[in-house]
Amino acid sequence: MSIDISGLRTERITCAVSPLAELGMALHALGEPGHHPSLRGWSAGVSSCLDPCLADRISEADFLWRTTFSDVFLPFAGLPGREAAPGGTLAEELDQLDKLTDRQFVDAALEFTCGYPDSHPGPDVLSDPAARRRALDLAAARGPHQVAFTHRLLDEPPAVRGWLRRLLEECDEAFFADVWARLRPELAADVRHKKELLKHRGLADALASVSRAVDLDEQGTRITVDKFADGHTTTGSGGLAMVPTSLGRPHLMVLHRYGWQPVLHYPVAAEALTTRASVDQLTRRMEALAHPVRIRLCRYLARGAYTTGELADSHGMTAPEISRHLTVLKKAGLLTTQRRGRYVLHQLDLTTVARLGGDFIENVLR
C-alpha cells in the first residue's frame, strides 16, 4: 500500500483521536473476537450485558464491520478540501458523517457490504443501471442480508444513514461511552507523542513510531505500508491524517478511497520486541518450507547441527544438491550456522520457525 506525499507540508499532517473510528473498532472486536484474543473477556462482558433488541440490531448489521473496517467510520476524510480532522466528540463525527453526499456514503457502504471498488472513480451506482446491477450481484454472493441491505441503500440512502446513526448512538449509550472514557487518555498521549516527533524529528521518525511496517522513502515523497494488499493513493493538494486505535491491534489500515484524504489508522499497543517478518520475508519462508526435500532436511536440522556432508550421506544426495537447499533455507532466515574448525554446521532456527504462525496471522490481519 503506498501514499504519494509529494509536496506535502508538515502543517497539513493531522494527528488526532477519533471516537467514531474507535467505536467502529469496538463493533468489529465484538463481531470478530478471534481477531482480538486479548479483548475476548471484554467482548464477552459487553455482549452479555447488551439489551436483547440492541444486540439483535448489531447482529443484523455485523457484516458492515465484521470482515473489514469501513471508511464511513472516518467520514472527515471525505469532506471537501481533504484536510479536515476528526471531530472532538462522537456527536461531531456523526455530524461529519451526515455531511457526506449520498453517493459518498453509498460507495463507502458498498465497499464493506459487497466489495465495490474504491481505488478509482466509477459510475454513480445511484443512477447507473449497470452499476446498480453489479452491486446487487456482488451482494448476492454474500447472502440475503447483504442483498436486502444493498436494496435499501440504493433505494433510500437517507433512511439507511439515519438508521446507522441511531444504531451508533445507541451503542454509545449502552457501552461505548465508558470505553471511550478509559481509552481516550492513552490515545491522546500517543497523538501528543506523534506531534512532538513531527515537530522535532520529522515525518520519518513519526511513521517509524507507528509500526515497523510503515516506511518513508529516502526522497520523502512516498509512504509504503507493508501489507498483503495492493493499493495507491495520493495526498495531492490535501493532507494526511494519522489516527490511533487502542482496540484495533493488529489491524493497520490505510484509507485510500479515491477523492478522500489518505488516513493511517494504526494500533497504539507496543509491538513485540522480536522483529516480525515482513510480507516478503514471510512469503520466502513459507515457500522455502514448501519443498519436500527441505521438509525432510528440517526434521534433522530441528534436532541438532549437521554439516552438508552429513546431510548428503543421510539423504542419499550429493553435497551440491544439499547445499542448494540449505542456501534457500538460509536466505529465508530459517537456519543458523556455526563453524567448528574446517566444518560448518547448520541448524534450524526454532525460534523463527515457531513464530511463523504468529507472523502469518499478524500479516494477513494487518
Side-chain angles (χ1 to χ4, degrees):
M1 302 286 294
S2 65
I3 306 172
D4 185 343
I5 60 169
S6 302
L8 179 67
R9 300 190 305 274
T10 302
E11 57 266 28
R12 289 197 280 119
I13 302 174
T14 300
C15 303
V17 300
S18 169
L20 179 56
E22 200 67 358
L23 174 53
M25 291 311 313
L27 290 168
H28 170 68
L30 289 172
E32 194 59 75
H35 286 194
H36 309 274
S38 64
L39 297 177
R40 282 178 178 164
W42 172 82
S43 299
V46 170
S47 298
S48 66
C49 295
L50 282 178
D51 175 82
C53 292
L54 177 58
D56 287 344
R57 293 181 64 201
I58 292 175
S59 177
E60 175 188 353
D62 72 346
F63 57 84
L64 303 180
W65 43 73
R66 184 168 186 170
T67 59
T68 186
F69 183 79
S70 169
D71 296 342
V72 300
F73 289 101
L74 296 165
F76 70 91
L79 298 180
R82 300 178 63 189
E83 286 190 73
T89 65
L90 180 62
E92 290 176 6
E93 290 199 278
L94 291 175
D95 289 342
Q96 290 176 330
L97 182 60
D98 289 341
K99 291 177 183 178
L100 296 181
T101 66
D102 280 347
R103 180 176 179 181
Q104 284 180 304
F105 179 84
V106 169
D107 284 348
L110 288 176
E111 185 271 329
F112 62 72
T113 55
C114 54
Y116 204 69
D118 61 1
S119 58
H120 54 80
D124 186 350
V125 72
L126 293 175
S127 60
D128 186 284
R132 178 188 174 95
R133 285 194 299 272
R134 181 178 183 277
L136 290 170
D137 286 343
L138 289 170
R142 298 293 185 90
H145 284 185
Q146 284 86 335
V147 173
F149 179 84
T150 303
H151 272 294
R152 288 174 56 204
L153 185 64
L154 295 174
D155 294 339
E156 300 179 286
V160 174
R161 297 175 70 160
W163 169 83
L164 180 60
R165 175 165 185 150
R166 289 191 297 275
L167 176 62
L168 297 177
E169 289 171 338
E170 290 181 28
C171 289
D172 183 49
E173 294 175 5
F175 66 89
F176 183 69
D178 290 338
V179 172
W180 182 243
R182 294 196 302 270
L183 297 182
R184 192 182 190 286
E186 175 191 22
L187 298 177
D190 182 82
V191 164
R192 289 193 297 271
H193 177 59
K194 295 294 185 292
K195 289 180 177 178
E196 286 295 310
L197 287 174
L198 279 171
K199 181 178 179 180
H200 298 293
R201 299 175 62 176
L203 180 58
D205 281 1
L207 293 174
S209 74
V210 166
S211 170
R212 298 185 185 95
V214 183
D215 181 62
L216 181 67
D217 67 2
E218 292 182 358
Q219 293 74 34
T221 60
R222 184 176 299 274
I223 297 170
T224 302
V225 183
D226 193 35
K227 291 172 66 72
F228 273 122
D230 293 316
H232 173 75
T233 188
T234 177
T235 55
S237 59
L240 170 71
M242 298 168 62
V243 177
T245 170
S246 182
L247 300 177
R249 181 170 175 81
H251 304 303
L252 170 61
M253 288 164 287
V254 182
L255 190 159
H256 61 289
R257 178 167 298 281
Y258 179 83
W260 289 42
Q261 176 182 185
V263 180
L264 276 175
H265 189 214
Y266 63 92
V268 298
E271 295 193 18
L273 294 178
T274 53
T275 302
R276 287 291 184 181
S278 67
V279 170
D280 285 342
Q281 288 174 322
L282 179 62
T283 301
R284 286 197 301 272
R285 288 170 182 176
M286 296 180 76
E287 289 175 347
L289 292 174
H291 196 285
V293 172
R294 292 195 283 273
I295 288 290
R296 291 199 299 272
L297 289 174
C298 286
R299 181 175 180 273
Y300 276 72
L301 296 169
R303 290 165 167 78
Y306 292 86
T307 66
T308 302
E310 289 174 323
L311 293 169
D313 290 341
S314 61
H315 287 77
M317 300 172 66
T318 66
E321 289 175 322
I322 293 294
S323 182
R324 284 194 292 271
H325 287 295
L326 293 177
T327 297
V328 173
L329 292 170
K330 188 172 182 179
K331 285 183 177 179
L334 297 172
L335 291 186
T336 61
T337 60
Q338 55 180 315
R339 180 174 290 278
R340 290 181 183 171
R342 61 191 182 91
Y343 297 103
V344 176
L345 290 92
H346 309 276
Q347 190 165 11
L348 195 66
D349 186 338
L350 295 180
T351 300
T352 298
V353 176
R355 264 203 327 262
L356 281 177
D359 287 343
F360 177 74
I361 296 297
E362 182 90 7
N363 276 286
V364 297
L365 291 182
R366 186 187 293 158

